[in-house]
Amino acid sequence: MVLKKPIIGMLVLLMTINWSCQNSPKVKNETTINYLKESKEDFDQRMNWWREARFGMFIHWGVYAVPAGVHNGSEIDGVGEWIQRFAEIPISEYEKYAKQFNPIKYDAEQWAKLMKKAGMKYVVITSKHHDGFALWDSNVSEYDIVDFAPFGKDILKSLSLACKAEGIKFGLYHSIMDWHHPQAQANGEPKYDYQNHPNQEFPLFVENYLKPQLKELIDNYDPDILWFDGEWINDFTHVMGLDLYQFVRNLKPSIIVNNRVDKGRKGMAGMNRKDQRYAGDFGTPEQEILEGTTTMDWESCMTMNDTWGYKSFDHNWKSDVVLIHNLVDITAKGGNYLLNVGPNSEGLIPESSIKRLEKMGQWLEVNGEAIYATQKLNKVFKQGENIRFTKKKNKSNYYVIVFEQPENELNVHHIQPYENSSVQLLGYKEDLSWTYEEESGLKIQIPEDIPGEIAWTFKINGKEI
Ligand code: FHN
């Protein structure tokens, strides 16, 4: 019987997976519990802190901060962390940048304090981006910040400790796609056509490199979140995705894992296709906000300028008004906001990022109760284009957040205050006068001397109608 090529290929692949499982010296996936069958109660309990947190810091940091968007004297288009691919830099050349990575001004405590000042409740930092360089002292590879770069100190260790000290939950972004490891994208050369020639060695990379590195990250840095990326490559399959989810949950059952651990994500919209069940606890819209609400947990990740990894010449910063309105809009739709900073090669977060984060923190100082531990309403999330609604969990406190400074009288629909209850403007000393009629709804009298900027939050004790 003549076996056709694909069947032979599949046999080789299955034998490889079987061989690698039997021969992978490092980690076995003895999953005793099927985490894909988790009960809704257990899922809700595990996700609770993450849902209440609403706002986190994304950090893209690595070797790509050294060229900072410039290679051989030319400014390279596209996001800074893709410079190895966009500038078609051979691995041996890119490694010279890694040999220069020495962020002597990095101060983990300073970063954690900035997150706190910004009102951010969790952080997700790149442990390893697509370039394959590890920001921790890996025993699985020498291509890391301690053994390969002059810096010689474990960045993740210091940041995980500083975040714990500030009460900030610690998360790791980990790329499945790896441009450095020979078994991950064939020879890893930028021109490798991995789309059409799936690499038979990839299962070995998963079992003998990807999983052992994930195990040391979970064992040594105790992350609360694992944020996978680079799952779109042909070499990575749905079967591998389900297995990877079980693997990390088995190592830390309480960990929260995004939907890029598997193959369900529908492009940058970030939510899962409905054709089958995919692994992952939340959807990941990227550089965009869902139009409306959804039943699946979701988190919008966004840059503050146009790049994730630092670029010396990207000054296209979003205003603090846009950033705060994004946070309010996402919260009203029941999502989380993961806002990115890209530190430079010295270990400094750009001043333009710091200024915006401090402004967001000042706004949250006054209005945070309308964001944290809130949920979306049952029927609406907005009124017109300039009003969003949120509701305190398990309470009858509703928040009406207005994007333009209200004057004289504010007319609100969809919420009816309880009789004799108060209506307040967060940050204002006195209760506000109001009337309610079935036809015209709630009318709130606006004093002339109201404080605040960017968005104004009215607190109402009542019910949604
Ligand atoms: O290719 C990456 C990109 O560099 C960046 O990490 C974003 C942020 O989530 N994710 C991928 C693009 O979708």
Side-chain angles (χ1 to χ4, degrees), residues 22-231:
Q22 285 165 6
N23 297 280
S24 60
K26 304 172 183 73
V27 286
K28 305 290 283 180
N29 191 359
E30 289 110 18
T31 298
T32 49
I33 300 169
N34 181 351
Y35 291 101
L36 293 164
K37 301 275 188 204
E38 184 178 38
S39 70
K40 184 177 182 321
E41 292 70 30
D42 289 347
F43 177 71
D44 288 342
Q45 197 275 328
R46 180 166 59 93
M47 294 298 288
N48 188 56
W49 74 261
W50 183 88
R51 291 169 177 164
E52 293 193 352
R54 287 287 174 232
F55 188 31
M57 180 185 278
F58 213 174
I59 303 178
H60 277 70
W61 197 32
V63 170
Y64 38 80
V66 174
V70 178
H71 181 62
N72 290 344
S74 305
E75 289 185 354
I76 306 300
D77 286 341
V79 287
E81 70 284 359
W82 271 69
I83 191 166
Q84 179 181 346
R85 184 53 55 92
F86 290 154
E88 299 190 346
I89 306 171
I91 290 177
S92 55
E93 279 304 298
Y94 189 79
E95 286 178 346
K96 290 175 185 169
Y97 286 129
K99 286 292 184 194
Q100 300 167 45
F101 191 32
N102 192 20
I104 52 174
K105 293 179 181 173
Y106 166 63
D107 181 333
E109 287 75 21
Q110 215 174 54
W111 286 16
K113 287 184 179 351
L114 174 62
M115 294 169 205
K116 189 143 188 180
K117 199 173 178 185
M120 293 166 145
K121 302 297 184 184
Y122 63 99
V123 63
V124 177
I125 183 169
T126 47
S127 47
K128 182 198 76 159
H129 203 263
H130 309 330
D131 61 3
F133 187 80
L135 288 198
W136 77 98
D137 184 13
S138 173
N139 295 322
V140 181
S141 160
E142 297 291 299
Y143 196 49
D144 68 41
I145 189 72
V146 170
D147 302 308
F148 202 90
F151 189 58
K153 284 178 271 188
D154 188 323
I155 283 171
L156 296 191
K157 191 72 192 164
S158 50
L159 191 62
S160 64
L161 294 173
C163 288
K164 276 184 173 40
E166 295 293 338
I168 304 267
K169 293 281 191 178
F170 184 67
L172 296 173
Y173 163 115
H174 202 75
S175 178
I176 293 162
M177 177 163 75
D178 189 306
W179 295 334
H180 188 267
H181 196 287
Q183 290 177 324
Q185 284 302 318
N187 54 15
E189 283 305 320
K191 288 205 171 71
Y192 178 71
D193 177 15
Y194 63 83
Q195 295 284 0
N196 301 307
H197 303 284
N199 169 15
Q200 306 300 350
E201 293 191 313
F202 193 75
L204 292 173
F205 163 78
V206 172
E207 292 304 320
N208 299 332
Y209 192 83
L210 180 67
K211 284 183 172 180
Q213 282 203 326
L214 287 168
K215 182 172 186 336
E216 57 182 7
L217 284 169
I218 292 171
D219 289 350
N220 302 333
Y221 307 102
D222 190 30
D224 303 293
I225 301 165
L226 251 178
W227 211 100
F228 285 98
D229 204 8
E231 87 290 357

